[in-house]
Amino acid sequence: MLPKRRKMGRKVTVAVATLNQWALDFEGNMSRIMESILEARELGASYRTGPELEVSGYSCEDHFHESDTYLHSWEILLEIMMSPVCQNMLIDVGMPVQHRNVAYNCRVVFHNKRILLIRPKMVMCDDGNYRETRWFSSWTKERQTEDYYLPRMIASATGQHTVPIGDAVIATRDTCLGYEICEELWNPRSTHIDMSLSGVEIIVNSSGSYMQLRKAYITTDLIRNASFKAGGMYLFSNLRGCDGQRVYFNGCSAIALNGQIVARGKQFALDDVEVTTATVDLEDIRSYRLAMRSRCTVAASTPTYPRVDVDFELSHPGDLNMVPNGPLEWIYHSAEEEIALGPACWLWDYLRRSGQGGFFLPLSGGVDSSSTAIIVHSMCRQVVKSVLLGDVQVLHDIRKILADPDFTPDNPAALCNRLLVTCYMGSENSSKETRQRATTLSNQIGSYHLEINIDGAVSALLAIFNTVTGMRPLFKANGGCPRQNLALQNIQARTRMVLSYLFAQLMLWVRNRPGGLLVLGSANVDEALRGYMTKYDCSSADINPIGGISKTDLKRFLLYAKEKFNIPIVAEIVTAPPTAELEPLHGDGALAQTDEQDMGMTYAELSQFGRLRKQAYCGPYSMFCKLVSTWRDCCTPREIADKVKHFFRCYAINRHKMTVLTPAYHAESYSPDDNRFDHRPFLYRANWSWQFKCIDEELERIQSPLPPPPPSLPADDQKSVCSSNAQDSPGSGHKANSPVFFPPEGPGGGGMTSAGSAHQLNNHHGSYGGGVGGGHEALKLTKSHSSGGYSKMHSSVMGKIKDRTGVPV
């Protein structure tokens, strides 16, 4: 009788780690990597992978030019390799590596204190917030390796002096593993197809992919498709959290098999370490591929990859009772849930790593500041939930933040009271409705609330100006010109910023606690795009959780939060007209200004402008051409031309405000943040003379000869399709908003520059209806004026564009 032979196992258990790393926090990063390896081992995994650049942290940026970053990365790798926890297990980690004086973003694969392969990234990412080619080079030698001479510290500890570096795969006794790194999955020529055809059964992707609203499905689809077309197992490991930048890494680590997701991690969580495992039968990969005859035909002639052999089996000999993972359905968060969870997690990371004791928020009772307050409340809910689930790290962090070693949070409102100070900064121009909404909201979320009046501070500053100049500015409603009106609005806004920092620095002292508070901003992405904010007002803060979110999305989020978090006052906040309350109220206490009237466009229109400008890469002419068809049911071509011109003028003269924009949570793909996402000038020729001339020429072609008019909608229907078009938009011809025209500057018709605008405003201030004895005269608009200078203007907008005194829009 023949002896029984041990059959090779077929089932493998693999682990992907989701880590919340911190740039240059080598000790903390190593601790989290080690924790993930230990957890993977305890879950029965024989292979563990992690996210991109997990050793150093992804957002080191120009620190990748420093030799220290590479030295410390090797030191951490040595500590990990030599640990008993890492023995008898195949592991790879992400770190920067220099080879022949070139820096590469690499995966380093090791087993039992021996490095098997250094696999450099082959496709860099340079779009959106990424700038990888500033620090790293791509490995361009396909299916080639070279000898990498290991640092002496590695050689002396392991006895190994060289290791292959390059485009190769790992061959164990039972299967084969290949690597992609982040962008290589997104690239049109992804290598997972070539590796699959070459017999690689497990493809591993380590990523640093950040969150944007409504984008989670893209990664999921790519992972599915990568394993569907040529079969195989695809492992996707991603970073999570704020590691030192504006972005929030998205989590969502996953494992796919033959086109189906079989395991996944969470998108938003406070966990520093999350390990996701899956057990897969390798024979399922082989049978799937064998059944695809066209795939086999191509594979038979596919060039092979260099293979690095390792005497190790991923599968278990006695695996008969191991249950493979089956397909699961991926449930995506709605955009409202993403706003509730993502910025809250980002705030938590920033707070616990900043060493501060909480947040200070100027709360106006409007949509934006209320959204910010509720996001902090959402953060508190997540902290309480994590503590109740037994997360020791979160409990340690909250006790450290509050300087209370015995505190255990069990109620979100009570925690919010200790972490968030809100303050209504009223003035003589503030309405009782906004004051009441702010107070009610603070009571419902639990914040520590203050009410102050800023009139004394504003009067003191104006008294200084009066003492020096002998003049006192007046609001437009009291006979002042646009420049005076603008200055009086700005001094209120900037006073609030100064007071915010004063209270943020001292409120914990008042409450007998150490430390200070982070000042939160609450300007949304649309206001940043339009420049509808005062430079150095309450938009200038330490961080801004809603700075990458549109006004329309924030309103949807508030309605979601009203039900989810039981905050009834939100219904009033959402329906109230957005207003800065910087001008005197009418005699009956009614509002004298609203944001959309001041801006000359609705927030819905502004979002559309933003998406076309950034996502569709439209200049003024292209934007006009696209909107002619998109808005044909609610606007005439002339009205669209005026709207587009108005937007680009406002954008140009306010772009400078992006240079001091508060660091904001990145959420929207049309963000105007010029720090790294939207690299455009901040000094423009604001009349866009050539571009606007092209619009006018196209307008003439559209209108002459005039085509047959399309069937018109009833007036009520038109109003619903394009809200506020008649009353808010430049060029609408509404009687209450007489257009204003400016003659070109000089013989060339070049329009007004900011330098010359103050003099011209002084000469023409009567045309605004704001100067003494002004009236509402409008200059005639000729074709040359329309093409080369400032064209049709909206009188209600004059003086509302802050920080460019005298520049009309």
Side-chain angles (χ1 to χ4, degrees):
M1 183 176 176
L2 293 174
K4 292 182 179 180
R5 295 181 180 177
R6 187 170 71 92
K7 295 183 175 68
M8 181 180 291
R10 306 185 312 174
K11 297 173 186 175
V12 300
T13 300
V14 295
V16 292
T18 306
L19 303 181
N20 191 330
Q21 302 295 72
W22 191 3
L24 300 176
D25 179 23
F26 290 99
E27 189 171 16
N29 292 347
M30 180 181 69
S31 175
R32 289 180 282 272
I33 292 170
M34 292 295 296
E35 184 180 340
S36 72
I37 294 171
L38 178 60
E39 188 173 338
R41 176 183 291 280
E42 291 174 346
L43 292 170
S46 54
Y47 171 72
R48 176 269 182 200
T49 188
E52 187 174 12
L53 294 170
E54 57 190 307
V55 171
S56 60
Y58 183 87
S59 300
C60 297
E61 300 187 320
D62 280 1
H63 290 287
F64 285 124
H65 292 316
E66 301 170 2
S67 60
D68 282 9
T69 305
Y70 300 86
L71 169 66
H72 300 324
S73 295
W74 281 111
E75 290 172 339
I76 296 301
L77 177 66
L78 181 59
E79 292 280 341
I80 295 171
M81 285 176 56
M82 304 305 289
S83 170
V85 174
C86 301
Q87 306 312 304
N88 299 314
M89 190 177 188
L90 185 62
I91 299 169
D92 61 75
V93 296
M95 58 181 272
V97 173
Q98 288 189 51
H99 174 58
R100 297 180 181 175
N101 306 125
V102 179
Y104 295 102
N105 175 350
C106 297
R107 299 305 296 175
V108 180
V109 191
F110 60 91
H111 173 257
N112 287 352
K113 303 180 184 179
R114 182 171 183 83
I115 300 176
L116 304 174
L117 173 68
I118 299 175
R119 203 288 194 171
K121 191 170 184 177
M122 300 182 69
V123 180
M124 296 291 110
C125 187
D126 278 328
D127 55 9
N129 283 290
Y130 297 107
R131 298 292 180 273
E132 289 183 348
T133 54
R134 180 177 175 89
W135 309 296
F136 300 114
S137 298
S138 301
W139 182 269
T140 57
K141 302 165 187 176
E142 295 184 5
R143 296 183 177 89
Q144 296 180 46
T145 63
E146 298 173 351
D147 285 337
Y148 180 87
Y149 290 86
L150 292 166
R152 283 175 290 182
M153 73 179 84
I154 303 291
S156 61
T158 65
Q160 180 184 3
H161 296 277
T162 63
V163 62
I165 181 172
D167 186 18
V169 297
I170 301 292
T172 66
R173 292 205 302 261
D174 53 356
T175 188
C176 187
L177 299 89
Y179 291 89
E180 290 186 323
I181 302 177
C182 200
E183 182 68 11
E184 295 172 44
L185 172 62
W186 276 260
N187 188 266
R189 295 184 62 187
S190 296
T191 56
H192 59 256
I193 297 295
D194 290 335
M195 285 189 285
S196 298
L197 293 172
S198 186
V200 176
E201 295 178 331
I202 301 173
I203 297 171
V204 184
N205 186 303
S206 60
S207 280
S209 178
Y210 60 78
M211 176 268 178
Q212 285 185 173
L213 293 176
R214 306 175 181 90
K215 297 294 184 182
Y217 75 93
I218 294 178
T219 305
T220 311
D221 288 350
L222 287 170
I223 296 167
R224 281 198 188 103
N225 292 334
S227 65
F228 172 80
K229 195 168 186 179
M233 179 162 44
Y234 201 95
L235 279 58
F236 177 80
S237 180
N238 195 22
L239 292 163
R240 178 196 287 139
C242 167
D243 77 340
Q245 261 292 351
R246 290 157 169 80
V247 299
Y248 178 85
F249 290 109
N250 206 36
C252 293
S253 298
I255 299 172
L257 175 68
N258 298 339
Q260 299 284 345
I261 301 293
V262 296
R264 61 157 293 187
K266 296 186 288 288
Q267 182 175 4
F268 303 109
L270 303 187
D271 315 59
D272 280 346
V273 177
E274 181 187 18
V275 175
T276 303
T277 62
T279 299
V280 171
D281 192 334
L282 296 175
E283 290 301 320
D284 289 341
I285 298 172
R286 293 156 190 168
S287 60
Y288 183 91
R289 288 179 173 179
L290 285 173
M292 300 172 63
R293 301 315 302 158
S294 62
R295 177 251 168 219
C296 294
T297 301
V298 177
S301 60
T302 297
T304 188
Y305 278 79
R307 294 198 173 202
V308 177
D309 294 321
V310 54
D311 187 18
F312 180 68
E313 296 178 5
L314 293 186
S315 56
H316 302 276
D319 62 359
L320 193 61
N321 293 321
M322 293 177 65
V323 180
N325 286 53
L328 57 84
E329 182 183 0
W330 194 297
I331 306 298
Y332 298 103
H333 291 290
S334 66
E336 293 80 10
E337 289 175 314
E338 289 183 315
I339 295 171
L341 297 172
C345 293
W346 184 76
L347 283 179
W348 170 249
D349 282 346
Y350 200 101
L351 175 62
R352 68 195 179 105
R353 290 171 173 174
S354 68
Q356 300 301 301
F359 301 108
F360 180 89
L361 172 66
L363 184 62
S364 69
V367 167
D368 296 329
S369 62
S370 298
S371 296
T372 301
I374 292 174
I375 286 171
V376 176
H377 178 74
S378 174
M379 183 200 80
C380 294
R381 298 176 74 94
Q382 292 185 68
V383 170
V384 170
K385 180 180 177 181
S386 294
V387 170
L388 293 177
L389 290 174
D391 193 316
V392 177
Q393 184 62 51
V394 172
L395 180 59
H396 169 77
D397 288 336
I398 194 62
R399 286 174 171 175
K400 182 178 178 182
I401 290 167
L402 297 175
D404 186 347
D406 301 319
F407 176 73
T408 300
D410 58 2
N411 181 282
L415 178 59
C416 191
N417 184 266
R418 301 188 68 166
L419 286 179
L420 176 63
V421 176
T422 53
C423 182
Y424 183 84
M425 299 182 173
S427 73
E428 60 185 1
N429 302 321
S430 302
S431 66
K432 61 181 181 181
E433 289 82 7
T434 55
R435 182 186 300 269
Q436 184 58 46
R437 288 199 296 269
T439 301
T440 304
L441 177 63
S442 69
N443 289 335
Q444 292 179 2
I445 66 173
S447 68
Y448 185 92
H449 190 62
L450 306 170
E451 289 187 5
I452 64 174
N453 190 292
I454 67 170
D455 289 332
V458 172
S459 297
L461 292 169
L462 292 176
I464 295 173
F465 180 83
N466 178 254
T467 300
V468 173
T469 66
M471 301 177 72
R472 180 173 290 274
L474 300 174
F475 282 106
K476 183 173 62 177
N478 299 326
C481 70
R483 284 183 293 173
Q484 298 173 50
N485 197 68
L486 178 62
L488 288 173
Q489 293 183 65
N490 285 344
I491 194 62
Q492 295 172 78
R494 289 179 175 132
T495 298
R496 288 182 172 124
M497 186 271 287
V498 174
L499 288 171
S500 293
Y501 276 94
L502 174 65
F503 277 81
Q505 288 177 325
L506 295 178
M507 278 310 299
L508 292 188
W509 170 65
V510 171
R511 301 180 73 183
N512 198 29
R513 275 176 50 194
L517 301 172
L518 292 165
V519 178
L520 293 180
S522 56
N524 62 63
V525 70
D526 295 328
E527 291 175 345
L529 172 67
R530 168 63 170 70
Y532 188 69
M533 62 178 72
T534 300
K535 209 172 184 179
Y536 307 113
D537 72 339
C538 284
S539 63
S540 299
D542 292 317
I543 48 174
N544 182 2
I546 68 165
I549 306 173
S550 73
K551 189 86 161 189
T552 51
D553 279 337
L554 288 174
K555 287 184 176 181
R556 295 191 190 101
F557 158 69
L558 286 178
L559 293 175
Y560 163 83
K562 172 181 174 291
E563 304 298 331
K564 183 71 174 179
F565 303 151
N566 189 25
I567 308 175
I569 189 61
V570 162
E572 294 182 30
I573 294 171
V574 171
T575 56
T579 174
E581 292 193 329
L582 294 173
E583 293 191 45
L585 301 171
H586 291 306
D588 58 357
L591 295 174
Q593 70 176 138
T594 63
D595 291 349
E596 290 186 333
Q597 184 180 16
D598 284 359
M599 293 192 301
M601 61 189 74
T602 67
Y603 279 106
E605 292 170 343
L606 188 49
S607 293
Q608 182 79 321
F609 292 145
R611 290 186 171 89
L612 289 174
R613 180 198 69 94
K614 177 65 177 175
Q615 294 173 310
Y617 301 101
C618 288
Y621 176 71
S622 297
M623 185 180 293
F624 167 75
C625 293
K626 286 184 180 292
L627 290 177
V628 164
S629 59
T630 304
W631 288 356
R632 65 183 181 276
D633 293 331
C634 59
C635 298
T636 66
R638 166 60 67 186
E639 290 170 341
I640 293 171
D642 290 335
K643 287 173 181 285
V644 170
K645 292 178 182 179
H646 181 56
F647 165 73
F648 273 98
R649 290 190 201 99
C650 297
Y651 167 79
I653 68 173
N654 288 290
R655 177 67 181 170
H656 67 100
K657 295 178 183 178
M658 298 303 98
T659 63
V660 296
L661 191 68
T662 297
Y665 174 87
H666 177 84
E668 188 54 76
S669 53
Y670 68 89
S671 169
D673 189 336
D674 84 328
N675 172 265
R676 62 188 298 111
F677 186 75
D678 189 22
H679 286 210
R680 286 172 168 83
F682 60 84
L683 181 62
Y684 280 92
R685 183 178 180 84
N687 65 4
W688 302 87
S689 56
W690 186 266
Q691 296 91 327
F692 287 2
K693 184 190 297 182
C694 291
I695 292 177
D696 292 334
E697 291 171 352
E698 190 65 34
L699 195 58
E700 289 183 8
R701 282 193 288 270
I702 292 173
Q703 294 180 334
S704 180
L706 291 174
S712 60
L713 294 171
D716 290 343
D717 290 344
Q718 290 184 9
K719 191 171 184 179
S720 66
V721 171
C722 189
S723 62
S724 304
N725 175 43
Q727 67 181 24
D728 289 332
S729 304
S732 63
H734 196 275
K735 292 182 180 179
N737 298 314
S738 303
V740 178
F741 307 101
F742 292 88
E745 181 182 75
M752 277 198 289
T753 64
S754 58
S757 58
H759 171 72
Q760 195 147 342
L761 254 178
N762 190 48
N763 291 338
H764 294 285
H765 71 272
S767 299
Y768 307 118
V772 178
H776 291 279
E777 295 181 2
L779 302 175
K780 297 287 187 180
L781 178 67
T782 66
K783 180 182 176 184
S784 61
H785 290 150
S786 176
S787 300
Y790 279 91
S791 64
K792 187 178 289 188
M793 277 316 310
H794 201 223
S795 63
S796 68
V797 177
M798 301 314 303
K800 306 299 185 185
I801 304 303
K802 303 173 176 65
D803 283 317
R804 280 294 177 120
T805 304
V807 178
V809 288

